[in-house]
Amino acid sequence: SSGINAEYGRDVVSCQLCQINLPYDFYGKKAPYCPGVIYFDDTYLLRDPYSPEPRVVGVAGPCELCSSIACFDCSVFYTKRFCGKCVLENPDGFPPQLVIVMKDKLQHVMQNQPETGT
């Protein structure tokens, strides 16, 4: 999901796998403030806060299979963007090494999530 967040004072997108909230400035393939960079798929983009020049950083994007929004830690670009859950549920559609890497990444991400009280 996305929307304005008071903590960041700008639009924020939430990863549907790890629940991290990420600020973004633009959604699409080509941010107007950085015309030299074009992404292959629609991506949540953020102006690089550490660069004095106009640079852009991709932070998240929708999964091609399930449309879930996934941050770049929880997804992979392999001809299109795929969330880690879909990669693991469809291992035959991806190179074996990519499946192994995504499994390791998701285990690490899920282990570092804050516990929720129930």
Side-chain angles (χ1 to χ4, degrees), residues 5 9 21 27 35 46 49-50 65 70 73-74 83 96 101 103 115 117:
N5 180 290
N21 292 321
Y27 177 73
L46 175 66
Y50 302 106
L65 291 177
D73 283 341
C74 293
C83 74
V101 168
K103 183 177 179 182
E115 292 188 32

Side-chain angles (χ1 to χ4, degrees), residues 3-14 19-24:
I4 299 286
N5 180 290
E7 179 182 350
Y8 295 105
R10 59 169 32 137
D11 286 335
V12 173
V13 62
S14 296
Q19 310 307 313
I20 191 170
N21 292 321
L22 299 162
Y24 72 96

Side-chain angles (χ1 to χ4, degrees), residues 10 17 24-26 28 46 64 70-71 79-80 86 89 95-96 99 117:
R10 59 169 32 137
L17 275 77
Y24 72 96
D25 299 317
F26 183 79
L46 175 66
E64 181 69 17
C71 70
T79 68
K80 299 277 183 182
C86 286
E89 289 176 354
V99 175

Side-chain angles (χ1 to χ4, degrees), residues 7-86:
E7 179 182 350
Y8 295 105
R10 59 169 32 137
D11 286 335
V12 173
V13 62
S14 296
C15 175
Q16 293 175 305
L17 275 77
C18 72
Q19 310 307 313
I20 191 170
N21 292 321
L22 299 162
Y24 72 96
D25 299 317
F26 183 79
Y27 177 73
K29 293 181 176 113
K30 182 177 173 183
Y33 50 80
C34 196
V37 177
I38 302 171
Y39 281 75
F40 289 110
D41 58 349
D42 287 332
T43 303
Y44 290 91
L45 302 171
L46 175 66
R47 186 185 307 255
D48 185 344
Y50 302 106
S51 175
E53 301 169 16
R55 292 197 178 144
V56 66
V57 177
V59 295
C63 175
E64 181 69 17
L65 291 177
C66 71
S67 300
S68 292
I69 303 301
C71 70
F72 278 18
D73 283 341
C74 293
S75 65
V76 64
F77 186 87
Y78 180 70
T79 68
K80 299 277 183 182
R81 178 138 320 269
F82 297 95
C83 74
K85 183 179 176 190
C86 286

